[in-house]
């Protein structure tokens, strides 16, 4: 199957505007929108420490800081997606082995619970003075 065909066929043309609208609505929510001027001011260097003068070209510095901020989030979320995909591929590949190992662990825990291994069930109590 041609991967490019998936882009132009199906419900992707409907999903993209819906995702963009959901992102815009969440950005304009009363929880996020009041924080935007503070973020932009901090990233752009408009908030200068006490005793220093805020110098530099304002828009260029603001744009650069904003792009670096977005790039930082992009790198973090892309790394999380790659890690999640790798973990999913691992669990899919070894699902049968993992299921058997977890089954044995559950059986052993059940045997401990019914008291077959007496040494595994100890009570430790604190003695207050």
């Amino acid at each position: 199957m041609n991967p490019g065909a998936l882009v132009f066929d199906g419900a992707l043309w409907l999903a993209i505007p819906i995702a963009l609208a959901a992102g815009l609505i969440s950005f304009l929510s009363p929880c996020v929108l009041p924080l935007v001027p503070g973020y932009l001011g901090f990233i752009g260097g408009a908030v200068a420490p006490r005793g220093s003068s805020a110098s530099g070209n304002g828009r260029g510095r603001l744009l650069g800081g904003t792009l670096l901020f977005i790039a930082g989030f992009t790198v973090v979320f892309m790394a999380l997606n790659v890690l999640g995909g790798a973990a999913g591929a691992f669990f899919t590949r070894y699902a049968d082995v993992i299921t058997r190992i977890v089954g044995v662990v559950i059986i052993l825990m059940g045997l401990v619970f019914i008291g077959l291994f007496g040494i595994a069930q100890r009570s430790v109590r604190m003695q207050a003075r």
Side-chain angles (χ1 to χ4, degrees), residues 70-83:
I70 293 170
F73 271 103
T74 302
V75 167
V76 168
F77 285 115
M78 289 297 291
L80 285 174
N81 283 328
V82 168
L83 182 65

